[in-house]
Amino acid sequence: MYEITPVENNKMIIRSNWGQCTVNTNDAVIKPASDQGCVYAKNNWYRGILRVLNKNNTLTLINDVGIENYLQGVVAAEMPSSWEMEALKAQTIAARTYAIANIGKHSQEGFDLVDTQMDQVYGGIKNECESTNRAVLNTTGIIMTYNNKPISAMYSSAAGGRTTSALESFGNDIPYLQSVESYDENAPKRGHGVGMTQHGANNLAKMGNNSYQILSHFYNSIQFSRINPIYYK
């Protein structure tokens, strides 16, 4: 176990059971013991590595992880793992698209996305389960595009029967974010109601729709593309 404390002049003190040392850096990296290992922080295990940034004597903890491993920690946090597999796959593709489209969103803070509903809920390994990991594996690299660019894949829990267009919600007319039937009358409206609704996706899956049909319903005139694994492992 390590304890890291910021000190002035962009330095950090690292304490462990073996003693302590002062490092002359504002960006420390914590790696697992092996390629298949994990790292531990905030009472949770994470894939990838951890970076600790010291900016103005304030520490920021960043999980630097590949897109597919990141999604393993997102999908089960965003959608119940017991829901229909095609809904889980639709959620995965929407979450992957959102992540790719928003790379660099928080670059001034030193990372891409936060782990809350401000971007997407991400819980690391504790949220993973077989069904959601299978949804990630079965859709590896697939995103939604419009005019050859990743779309702004907004989604919410439910829209109460009909989604809201981007124009209505944000004053910006986006061709693929129009108002459509949301198939979620059984759930109260939660969230902005733009784009896919999770309850609607699950209900459409129960009706026999696959993940591509579900997403094509909520996002008009989109195409499906596969990201280059060279850049996003």
Side-chain angles (χ1 to χ4, degrees):
M1 299 292 290
Y2 294 92
E3 177 184 322
I4 301 176
T5 304
V7 293
E8 60 184 5
N9 299 322
N10 292 325
K11 297 179 182 179
M12 288 184 269
I13 296 175
I14 301 178
R15 298 181 179 89
S16 71
N17 294 335
W18 300 278
Q20 74 174 47
C21 66
T22 300
V23 293
N24 295 311
T25 181
N26 61 357
D27 188 352
V29 176
I30 302 173
K31 297 182 178 180
S34 69
D35 291 341
Q36 301 302 316
C38 305
V39 286
Y40 186 82
K42 299 195 302 183
N43 297 316
N44 194 14
W45 290 97
Y46 295 90
R47 300 182 187 275
I49 65 173
L50 295 177
R51 292 175 55 210
V52 183
L53 299 185
N54 177 13
K55 187 174 182 180
N56 299 323
N57 286 345
T58 299
L59 296 182
T60 299
L61 183 66
I62 300 168
N63 183 199
D64 192 339
V65 64
I67 182 66
E68 301 303 318
N69 285 339
Y70 164 72
L71 290 168
Q72 290 178 307
V74 169
V75 179
E78 286 284 359
M79 180 175 281
S81 60
S82 61
W83 281 15
E84 297 290 320
M85 176 54 62
E86 292 304 313
L88 294 174
K89 289 164 65 176
Q91 175 65 69
T92 302
I93 296 171
R96 184 184 292 109
T97 305
Y98 181 93
I100 294 298
N102 285 280
I103 288 177
K105 180 180 178 181
H106 302 279
S107 58
Q108 290 186 341
E109 289 81 25
F111 54 88
D112 295 311
L113 302 170
V114 298
D115 59 358
T116 69
Q117 289 181 345
M118 183 182 295
D119 283 313
Q120 300 185 118
V121 180
Y122 170 66
I125 291 176
K126 72 178 180 182
N127 287 330
E128 293 183 19
C129 62
E130 188 277 333
S131 62
T132 52
N133 282 357
R134 180 153 43 97
V136 174
L137 180 63
N138 290 346
T139 64
T140 299
I142 298 173
I143 63 170
M144 293 176 284
T145 58
Y146 184 84
N147 288 342
N148 297 317
K149 295 180 180 180
I151 72 168
S152 177
M154 305 183 72
Y155 57 88
S156 61
S157 177
R162 191 165 189 85
T163 67
T164 305
S165 70
L167 181 62
E168 292 176 275
S169 288
F170 311 115
N172 186 14
D173 189 13
I174 300 175
Y176 53 81
L177 291 177
Q178 301 299 314
S179 176
V180 299
E181 186 176 357
S182 58
Y183 293 94
D184 57 7
E185 295 85 353
N186 60 324
K189 181 175 181 179
R190 293 174 58 193
H192 48 69
V194 178
M196 184 187 79
T197 74
Q198 293 159 323
H199 281 274
N202 195 49
N203 287 335
L204 283 168
K206 289 179 179 179
M207 295 164 58
N209 294 277
N210 64 36
S211 57
Y212 302 104
Q213 292 170 319
I214 293 169
L215 292 168
S216 295
H217 169 74
F218 285 109
Y219 305 100
N220 297 348
S221 304
I222 53 99
Q223 295 180 318
F224 296 95
S225 305
R226 193 180 297 273
I227 58 178
N228 192 327
I230 294 176
Y231 303 106
Y232 308 105
K233 295 181 180 179

